[in-house]
Amino acid sequence: MKRKNLSKAECPVARSLDVIGDWWSLLIIRDAFDGINRFSALQKNLGIARSMLTARLQELVEHGVLETAPASDGTAYQEYVLTEMGRGLFPVIVALRQWGEANLYQPGEQHSVLLETQTGKPVTRLELRSRENQVLKWRDTMVRKLSPDGKH
Amino acid sequence: MKRKNLSKAECPVARSLDVIGDWWSLLIIRDAFDGINRFSALQKNLGIARSMLTARLQELVEHGVLETAPASDGTAYQEYVLTEMGRGLFPVIVALRQWGEANLYQPGEQHSVLLETQTGKPVTRLELRSRENQVLKWRDTMVRKLSPDGKH
DNA sequence: GAAAACAGGTCTCATAATAAGACCGGAATA
DNA sequence: TATTCCGGTCTTATTATGAGACCTGTTTTC
């Protein structure tokens, strides 16, 4: 009766969710992108139970999304920083952000905004483009499955 | 002691996760993108408990991600299909897929692949681009927060 | 047309995950 | 040196999940 294990799935979406698909992981990763790297800072910012945070951080380190590093302020403590693999989740976070912005706020309701550092302007929409640089919508794509049972 | 409610968060990532951030929702949505729209087909494909699937589908319908429609095969049953809002999650699914492909498979290990329908070629990498069409990495962006406490 | 199988659920129960907060030892600070 | 901060662990109460029995109406098979 444990939660399903998706780590062997043939579908990359499922494998990703096996690593970062639970309730807190992506919020921790979002905070890491924002420079919130210390245990107590994460705990305070997220309002997560301390035992939960311990467990989640451990999992993310085991999976290679985060790694521990000596604290940047010179103290004896440590920080949790994104690995190269973890930084690869940037498009996931941006996609979630843009979907939320577009669909989950009332007109006029305020939210934080992602800016281009150089210009200070809001970033543009994340889009999948074809090899001819056309925007690809869902219907322009298809999944090639591998297994005979139709799973993927 | 209920699970945290993020629906009022100022951060769009958090609001998104409030809707689709639990263990099954994104897998259900992935299946919907793949044309798996019937209760029993979802249940079989995902291996999810029936009671869980009922609850998740209800939530996704309430949030406007899915809607029910008469079955496309003419029977008296119904289907769960993506709404416009739900179809907006396409970049999220693609981003998760590409991260999984890049990081969670052994060399040589096979997985399903997303193709451009027109050409049959694998889709290219989803990338955030600046207004000058340069690829934006994490460090090229920053979040403008709203609240004084530094949350977002 | 009757029987069997399928579709789309509900209900119950056992177990796992989560939230809340007390507690604790070492590090940093006043 | 005393006090507070940091990064946890432990316990307990509650909620979520997984497994599967059961149920009603629909469709298919014979």
Side-chain angles (χ1 to χ4, degrees):
Chain A
M1 294 189 181
K2 279 186 188 172
R3 196 165 61 179
K4 284 277 187 291
N5 179 343
L6 303 171
S7 64
K8 301 290 171 50
E10 283 183 6
C11 172
V13 179
R15 279 208 195 179
S16 293
L17 291 174
D18 191 68
V19 175
I20 55 161
D22 52 46
W23 190 241
W24 287 111
S25 295
L26 277 169
L27 289 169
I28 292 170
I29 290 161
R30 176 204 64 178
D31 276 7
F33 275 116
D34 291 345
I36 301 175
N37 297 319
R38 295 278 285 259
F39 185 94
S40 53
L42 288 165
Q43 198 272 322
K44 187 183 296 181
N45 192 55
L46 295 172
I48 186 177
R50 307 170 75 72
S51 48
M52 269 291 90
L53 182 56
T54 302
R56 287 288 166 268
L57 288 173
Q58 229 167 60
E59 282 177 20
L60 289 171
V61 168
E62 276 168 19
H63 281 116
V65 173
L66 298 177
E67 63 190 350
T68 55
S72 51
D73 62 1
T75 60
Y77 301 118
Q78 61 175 358
E79 295 181 346
Y80 293 89
V81 299
L82 290 163
T83 61
E84 176 64 28
M85 179 177 166
R87 290 192 294 275
L89 285 166
F90 185 59
V92 174
I93 298 287
V94 173
L96 283 169
R97 161 178 283 279
Q98 294 188 342
W99 186 75
E101 288 173 342
N103 295 285
L104 302 177
Y105 286 83
Q106 302 297 325
E109 194 180 5
Q110 298 224 320
H111 54 76
S112 63
V113 177
L114 189 65
L115 306 174
E116 295 184 18
T117 307
Q118 281 213 337
T119 65
K121 292 184 181 170
V123 301
T124 58
R125 197 83 203 210
L126 187 62
E127 288 169 332
L128 185 64
R129 290 185 173 271
S130 74
R131 287 151 191 276
E132 277 76 34
N133 209 38
Q134 298 298 304
V135 175
L136 286 179
K137 312 294 285 183
W138 163 43
R139 290 295 195 185
D140 303 324
T141 66
M142 52 181 296
V143 172
R144 182 178 64 210
K145 296 166 186 173
L146 295 177
S147 56
D149 64 1
K151 292 187 182 181
H152 73 138
Chain B
M1 292 189 180
K2 278 186 190 173
R3 195 166 62 178
K4 284 276 187 289
N5 178 343
L6 303 171
S7 64
K8 302 289 171 49
E10 283 182 6
C11 173
V13 179
R15 279 208 195 179
S16 293
L17 292 174
D18 191 68
V19 174
I20 55 161
D22 53 47
W23 190 243
W24 288 110
S25 295
L26 277 170
L27 289 169
I28 292 170
I29 290 160
R30 176 204 63 178
D31 275 7
F33 275 116
D34 291 345
I36 302 175
N37 297 319
R38 295 277 286 258
F39 185 93
S40 54
L42 288 165
Q43 197 271 324
K44 187 182 297 181
N45 193 56
L46 295 171
I48 185 177
R50 308 170 72 74
S51 48
M52 269 292 88
L53 181 56
T54 301
R56 287 288 165 268
L57 288 172
Q58 231 166 60
E59 283 176 21
L60 290 171
V61 168
E62 277 169 19
H63 281 115
V65 174
L66 297 177
E67 63 190 350
T68 55
S72 52
D73 61 1
T75 60
Y77 301 117
Q78 62 175 359
E79 295 180 346
Y80 294 88
V81 298
L82 290 162
T83 61
E84 177 64 28
M85 180 177 166
R87 290 191 294 275
L89 286 166
F90 185 59
V92 174
I93 298 286
V94 173
L96 283 169
R97 161 178 284 277
Q98 295 189 342
W99 186 74
E101 288 173 342
N103 295 285
L104 302 176
Y105 287 83
Q106 302 297 324
E109 194 180 3
Q110 297 224 322
H111 54 75
S112 64
V113 177
L114 188 65
L115 306 174
E116 294 184 18
T117 306
Q118 282 215 336
T119 65
K121 292 184 181 170
V123 301
T124 57
R125 197 81 203 210
L126 187 62
E127 288 169 332
L128 185 64
R129 290 185 173 271
S130 75
R131 288 151 190 276
E132 277 76 33
N133 210 38
Q134 299 298 305
V135 175
L136 287 178
K137 311 294 287 182
W138 162 44
R139 289 295 195 186
D140 302 323
T141 67
M142 51 179 299
V143 172
R144 182 178 63 209
K145 295 166 187 173
L146 295 176
S147 55
D149 65 1
K151 292 188 184 184
H152 72 142

